[in-house]
Amino acid sequence: MATNVVAAFESSLGTLDVPCMSTTPDGFIEALTEYIELPAVGVPLGIEGISLEETDATLSPSSQQLVDAKTGITPAALGVAAHGSLLLQSSPTGTEPVSLYPPRHVAVVREGDIVPDVRDALEWLDGEFTDGRRSAVFATGVSATGDMGALVEGVHGPADVRVIIVEDR
Amino acid sequence: MSSDTRRRKAAKIRHLLETEGESVHENTTHFNEERYDAVEEFDDYEAVRAEARAIKEDAIERLPELVETLRDSVEENGGTLYIADDAADANAYIGDVVDEAGGDTVVKSKSMTTEEIEVNEALEANDVDVWETDLGEFVLQVADEAPSHLVGPSLHRTTDDVADLFNRYFDPDEPFETAEQLTEFARDYLGDRIRAADVGMTGANFVLADSGTITLVTNEGNARKCAVTPDTHIAVTGVEKILPSLSDLGPFIELIARSATGQDISQYVSLFSPPTNSPTLDFEDPEAPAFETDGDRSFHLVLIDNGRLAMREDEQLRETLYCIRCGACANSCANFQHVGGHAFGGETYTGGIATGWETGVNGIESADEFNDLCTGCSRCVTACPVKIDIPWINTVVRDRLNHDHDSSEFDFLVEGLTPDEEPARLDLQKRAFGNFETMAKVGSKTAPVSNWILDSSPIRDGMDRLMGIDQRRELPSFRRESLVDWFAARGGNKVRSTDRTAVLYPDVYTNYVLVERGKAAVNVLESLGVEVIIPDVPGSGRAPLSQGMIDTAESKAKQVTDRLRRYIDAGADIVVIEPSDLAMFRRDYEKLLPARAFDMLSENSYEVLEYVFGLLENGAEADALSNADSRLAYHSHCQQRTLGLDAYTEAVFERLGYDVITSDVECCGMAGSFGYKSEYYELSMDVGSTLGDQFSDATDRTIVASGTSCSEQLTDLLSSDVKHPVEILAPDGR
Ligand code: SF4
């Protein structure tokens, strides 16, 4: 079942043209290096076994660094297999702005945090709401608009989204 | 309506058809097709619609209680809830909040509710700079225009239009040409403003009472930026947007994007329970840490009443409050697809449901201007994710407008002739079309003289002037011998059957005008072994209902049911040729009759090809029917499609080996009387031309249509003979 959900998530990301790769915690740094363009900013991932400390990403950036960053790295609390959505929870460390301002967003999600559908994600979120963590966004693919008469990607949000799935040990 | 008013209306529509029509058509039909695909792939669609509907019904029922729950949770989170009675109240409150925040720049994300209260104008009057950051809204702000669509506010404009506009307004070094260039420019221009803004203003698609959460559904990402970048966030939305809790949100997330644009889910579905714990952003000092975790966020949720609580008390308008503003009713509307929201809309809202919104929030006069553009074709009914009966709301408002109308000097003339249930003040055009049955009866009795008179130019001239019946349309030609008379004269049924008896309903058109299709239906049914009866039954009330004459329609509904009851009691089936009349029996009568009477009639009525399909399934011999005229181009009827009955006609043709191509337009544009009205003639022809184009290569095929209007329209468009499916199937030499 779990592998099916991961495969479905990967396939949805494929439909969205969102590149994705799976890695063990040990291979994380290498995977990340492949996906980021510098300068990069990030927020602490809170995922056991991996960290941004040893990478080139700036944590707690200045506002200039946020504006200049080419890549923002954040954790995703969940991945939603049906649509390839990422559930990004607001955090004091800046998950919302870091996933939104730079033109590329690299999201890191644990394999075990991939759920089949939006309804499953909402159920999980219900518990978070009860615990007082009540802000999150389902982000699916890249920011886009048709308002100028044709579809254009990368409007106010990122034009390029990539996902790293960290395999559970 | 005076003939001058009609001319002005026609001129406005003509202008919009020429300037905005093409872009509106391209975009709305694209959304509409994508919606069909998305819905087809979504297995649980009907169940989820029912779930969403139930949640909205419950939420609106419990609204006062939910407001109080919401107030507690917003305050518990550290924000403020303000309920504004009306636009002035809302704007005064918002003005104060902006003032307190020391705000001279406000950035906004798209919100129809802020359009409704015109908050931009109110803030600008206080020297506050307001920027729309949704690109569509930004285009409108630069152009100083009103939105033409609930979801795509600027979809009436092409890339070239916008490029011209921006080149003139911003005078760039290199003129803009492509959508990419325009988007990049707008993103940077607005990005600067978002970073400098003191206040961010958003709408809210849904508000969750028990957690104080607002939900924002967007594709661009601007709403997220507006909500979290400035320290002060004001969310403005209608009080009807409250849902009880997070557990109620699922169906709406699953439906809103599919219904709006055909996406499975929008790019960003944000759930903010502000003030959020995202750090505030300070872009003024580039070297300082961007994230100030001790920064003070403030949040104000402004819920607008502005007539909504009164709508909640109004049995007929209440349903409007279930609307999630997805725009599907506009995208699935043939008239809207051609003319767009600048004609099909009121002060704020656009599309079919705008009639409900405008009547509720801006007053019924605001709906008067465009209400007639809803022809009742009912295609939006299956499109609406919360199952709102949009045509019914339009009919109710039309009825209310009828009762309000200016008195006409010709009333005395018409009233004697047309004993309907409507007030003397009723618009002459509506009265004429609403009483078509009376006209048809008299016309038939006096045919062919009546036809010569009706066709004479002084009469057509007068009809145009007084009633706005366009001279470019050919009038129906009444037959001296009605179907009922013909059937009696032939000695009634030719087939006796103990198994199956069908009452063939003699709708007004079949009875007095298109008698041949009635005879063909008798022939087809008898060939399949059915005993047929054609009693004299009054018109279904479709004509008066479409003019908003609800009382008259209701009285017809009662007469029809009384007349048909004993046949149904005796075990007969009711077979209907005209789809718009069947739709009365199966859909509209629910609003006009007691439940038992409605159930009796709706459960025992069948569209004629649906009935034929059933007979063939139950062993009737297909060989008894003709398959001679083998190549067909078939156009189903809008209301027939809403009832899901088009498939039966196609299946019968297929079973008999016909080679059939089908149209895929929502409506032919004729829609009963609509295409006869001089103010709408050109729009009707424009809508029809899309259908005409689909069949323009089918010159070697016989054109077949189920509805009277569709046949008239296709005859005008293709200058060709149009047949009803039963005329194709009737064995030769009846
Ligand atoms: S009435 Fe229904 S279809 Fe129309 S905008 Fe509202 S929710 Fe959408």
Side-chain angles (χ1 to χ4, degrees), chain B residues 187 245 249 342 365 409 454 468 526 562 578 623 641 645:
Chain B
R187 181 195 60 202
S245 69
L249 191 60
H342 285 156
E365 323 75 56
E409 51 186 309
L454 282 176
E526 289 187 341
D562 286 347
E578 177 59 38
D623 291 352
R641 288 182 60 202
L645 300 175

Side-chain angles (χ1 to χ4, degrees), chain B residues 567-630:
Chain B
Y567 297 103
I568 294 174
D569 286 346
D573 304 314
I574 311 298
V575 175
V576 184
I577 299 175
E578 177 59 38
S580 62
D581 289 302
L582 181 75
M584 286 296 281
F585 296 179
R586 286 231 189 132
R587 253 179 54 73
D588 304 81
Y589 276 15
E590 189 171 10
K591 297 281 199 315
L592 304 174
L593 290 174
R596 289 241 312 271
F598 168 70
D599 290 345
M600 173 200 70
L601 189 55
S602 64
E603 282 163 16
N604 291 289
S605 304
Y606 305 87
E607 194 265 340
V608 60
L609 266 286
E610 177 192 20
Y611 197 68
V612 168
F613 176 84
L615 293 170
L616 295 178
E617 285 290 293
N618 284 294
E621 285 296 330
D623 291 352
L625 301 177
S626 163
N627 60 358
D629 193 358
S630 70

Side-chain angles (χ1 to χ4, degrees), chain B residues 363-665:
Chain B
I364 198 164
E365 323 75 56
S366 181
D368 192 7
E369 185 58 25
F370 67 94
N371 168 258
D372 283 350
L373 286 167
C374 169
T375 63
C377 85
S378 78
R379 294 303 302 139
C380 53
V381 169
T382 39
C384 177
V386 282
K387 302 189 170 204
I388 299 175
D389 193 341
I390 300 151
W392 177 251
I393 291 173
N394 277 279
T395 305
V396 166
V397 169
R398 195 167 301 156
D399 184 73
R400 290 183 189 177
L401 284 163
N402 287 345
H403 286 79
D404 272 7
H405 242 284
D406 290 345
S407 62
S408 150
E409 51 186 309
F410 299 100
D411 276 351
F412 68 95
L413 260 180
V414 193
E415 269 199 61
L417 290 173
T418 58
D420 54 36
E421 315 275 327
E422 308 302 319
R425 301 180 297 277
L426 178 65
D427 180 68
L428 210 49
Q429 185 190 54
K430 292 208 158 71
R431 174 155 272 152
F433 284 119
N435 286 292
F436 179 71
E437 185 180 354
T438 312
M439 200 189 344
K441 258 186 212 155
V442 177
S444 165
K445 288 238 161 31
T446 54
V449 180
S450 53
N451 294 325
W452 299 335
I453 296 177
L454 282 176
D455 237 7
S456 70
S457 57
I459 293 289
R460 289 303 306 258
D461 222 48
M463 282 164 67
D464 199 346
R465 229 166 350 98
L466 297 180
M467 302 184 250
I469 298 179
D470 201 283
Q471 301 197 48
R472 287 164 287 190
R473 285 279 184 201
E474 207 174 305
L475 292 177
S477 174
F478 300 113
R479 297 281 296 270
R480 184 68 181 245
E481 186 181 49
S482 70
L483 180 69
V484 172
D485 292 346
W486 166 82
F487 191 73
R490 103 205 251 262
N493 54 53
K494 291 266 156 76
V495 170
R496 297 214 165 264
S497 162
T498 45
D499 281 359
R500 222 170 262 288
T501 308
V503 171
L504 185 65
Y505 173 67
D507 66 87
V508 176
Y509 257 91
T510 308
N511 199 28
Y512 297 113
V513 182
L514 301 173
V515 180
E516 294 315 316
R517 71 179 193 185
K519 294 179 185 171
V522 172
N523 188 357
V524 165
L525 294 173
E526 289 187 341
S527 303
L528 297 173
V530 178
E531 180 170 328
V532 179
I533 313 172
I534 310 187
D536 196 4
V537 189
S540 71
R542 166 60 68 198
L545 191 73
S546 73
Q547 307 306 316
M549 297 157 65
I550 295 179
D551 291 344
T552 309
E554 194 177 299
S555 125
K556 292 280 176 201
K558 291 211 174 77
Q559 293 169 39
V560 169
T561 332
D562 286 347
R563 194 84 181 89
L564 292 177
R565 186 186 312 270
R566 66 187 157 103
Y567 297 103
I568 294 174
D569 286 346
D573 304 314
I574 311 298
V575 175
V576 184
I577 299 175
E578 177 59 38
S580 62
D581 289 302
L582 181 75
M584 286 296 281
F585 296 179
R586 286 231 189 132
R587 253 179 54 73
D588 304 81
Y589 276 15
E590 189 171 10
K591 297 281 199 315
L592 304 174
L593 290 174
R596 289 241 312 271
F598 168 70
D599 290 345
M600 173 200 70
L601 189 55
S602 64
E603 282 163 16
N604 291 289
S605 304
Y606 305 87
E607 194 265 340
V608 60
L609 266 286
E610 177 192 20
Y611 197 68
V612 168
F613 176 84
L615 293 170
L616 295 178
E617 285 290 293
N618 284 294
E621 285 296 330
D623 291 352
L625 301 177
S626 163
N627 60 358
D629 193 358
S630 70
R631 288 168 61 75
L632 310 176
Y634 173 59
H635 170 66
S636 170
H637 179 274
C638 44
Q639 285 158 341
Q640 185 187 8
R641 288 182 60 202
T642 297
L643 294 170
L645 300 175
D646 47 332
Y648 294 111
T649 306
E650 289 169 31
V652 170
F653 282 143
E654 193 179 322
R655 178 179 289 214
L656 285 160
Y658 284 91
D659 169 4
V660 187
I661 58 165
T662 54
S663 63
D664 72 348
V665 296

Side-chain angles (χ1 to χ4, degrees), chain B residues 150 259 320 322-330 352-353 357 380 383-388 390:
Chain B
L150 289 174
S259 305
T320 308
Y322 307 159
C323 170
I324 60 171
R325 312 258 177 98
C326 69
C329 53
I353 195 59
W357 282 120
C380 53
C384 177
V386 282
K387 302 189 170 204
I388 299 175
I390 300 151

Side-chain angles (χ1 to χ4, degrees), chain B residues 18-61:
Chain B
E18 282 162 8
T19 50
E20 303 184 351
E22 208 174 313
S23 188
V24 170
H25 188 255
E26 191 184 315
N27 289 309
T28 51
T29 51
H30 174 71
F31 284 156
N32 198 38
E33 281 161 25
E34 299 282 314
R35 176 180 61 80
Y36 275 119
D37 292 347
V39 163
E40 202 179 295
E41 282 168 23
F42 182 30
D43 293 338
D44 294 336
Y45 180 61
E46 285 305 331
V48 174
R49 273 177 100 204
E51 197 184 352
R53 169 82 189 195
I55 291 169
K56 282 306 277 188
E57 281 179 7
D58 169 65
I60 295 299
E61 181 66 35

